[in-house]
Amino acid sequence: MSERSYLDYNATAPLRPEVRDAMLGAFAIHGNPSSVHAEGRQARAAIEAARAKVAALLGARPDDVIFTSCGTEANALALAPVAGAWRCYMSAIEHPSVLTGGRFSASDVTRIPVTEDGVIDLDFLASELARHHFVGQGARPFVSLMVANNETGALQPVTAAAESVHAVGGVLHTDAVQAAGKVPLDMGALGADLVSLSAHKLGGPKGVGALVLRERVQVEPLIRGGGQERRRRAGTEHVSGIVGFGVAAEIAAAELGKARDIAKLRDELETRALAIAPEAIVFSGRLPRLPNTSCMAVPGTKAETLVIGLDLAGVAVSSGSACSSGKVEASHVLRAMGVAPEVAQGAIRVSLGIGSTPADIERFLDAWGTLIKRLRESRKAA
Ligand code: PLP
């Protein structure tokens, strides 16, 4: 049994050894991908091979993949539609990089509420679209709805939303950063016009992402300069990072079948946690979720205490969204679901991955059970 149990895959997944090997190989390619000489062409070929692999993860065309510096940048680029009047709608549980609104002014953004299970209220979206967007009139709707939430894992009805959005001539962006590599994704089936991805969530390197968009959709570049990425994102490409992203995407696509085993481990963890503390709440537990994610709280506990206690016991999990780790503040996702602050403050996120084993679950349950018991006793004594 290894010395630590890493159960924070939604924060970042460990780099896959095959990715590291491919990246080390790519570091030896020294040409600039924009150069016409042999060295440049070698770098270009490496990027284009990776582009095809990333496109394949979504069943998209390689030409429609724009490499970016991360998922955050992909979201920012998506939220910069070209020319015309737009009104933006986004779910209240989007990642902060979407919630900022990108180039939309705050007055042009409407937040779509979610149910207590953490799923977007589709009726609200439909009625907003019907109220504001009659075909051929007014501003076009730009809707951003993530495939899966990073805190709860709750899967969102992207395909159904796409139908309503397209019926009024709108555009749908989906942040698939957490879903990619964990559930099968197909751009056509999703109905999304723009999809954001991030390499490090699926075993690739940190600092590489992509925005994948349909041919008919255009975005306003955020970074201008050279003609890279078909003039949609200037800057010399991060060749080794992009190569690593390609390999990670290829492996993730091939290993989607392993999600069932990961879900079994996650379900066992929840069942046994509920046996230890029947008062525990599993958020979004009743609905389809990512197979690897469990967000739970024991009322009266503080996530901070649990995360530190678990860390000392050799288990890495996070509290709230913890995208920028160390941050411990009330989760906007749980708030949007109407979870009482005294419950939300105890929420921890356990996220499994390809390297998770039954021994990791045992270590988590041992440490978590001990902490919960200790906290219960100190509350009684107080
Ligand atoms: N979108 C979601 C749903 C995320 O969970 C994250 C990171 O946690 C991001 C976007 C940002 O991705 P990156 O870390 O590559 O900027």
Side-chain angles (χ1 to χ4, degrees), residues 111-129:
R111 298 246 176 118
I112 313 161
V114 296
T115 65
E116 61 176 30
D117 280 318
V119 174
I120 183 195
D121 183 343
L122 268 182
D123 291 340
F124 180 93
L125 175 64
S127 69
E128 282 292 304
L129 294 178

Side-chain angles (χ1 to χ4, degrees), residues 10-12 69-75 93-98 146 148-151 175-179 196-201 205-209 321-324 349:
N10 286 12
T12 195
S69 67
C70 55
T72 296
E73 188 194 326
N75 283 340
I93 58 166
E94 294 300 312
H95 186 265
S97 56
V98 169
M146 66 203 328
N149 184 262
N150 42 306
E151 295 185 33
D175 174 347
V177 164
Q178 286 295 344
S196 300
L197 299 174
S198 175
H200 75 101
K201 305 289 184 180
K206 294 165 188 62
V208 191
S321 72
C323 255
S324 39
R349 179 186 68 187

Side-chain angles (χ1 to χ4, degrees), residues 2 12 18 109 129 136 152 170 225 230 243 249-250 295 302 337 341 344:
S2 67
T12 195
E18 303 89 331
V109 177
L129 294 178
T152 62
R230 301 170 142 236
V243 166
E250 189 176 38
C295 183
K302 283 216 164 69
M337 289 162 64

Side-chain angles (χ1 to χ4, degrees), residues 3 13 22 63 72 164 177 214 246 251-252 272-273 319 337 375:
E3 277 175 24
D63 278 356
T72 296
S164 336
V177 164
R214 280 185 206 252
I251 300 175
R272 290 177 53 193
S319 65
M337 289 162 64
L375 290 170

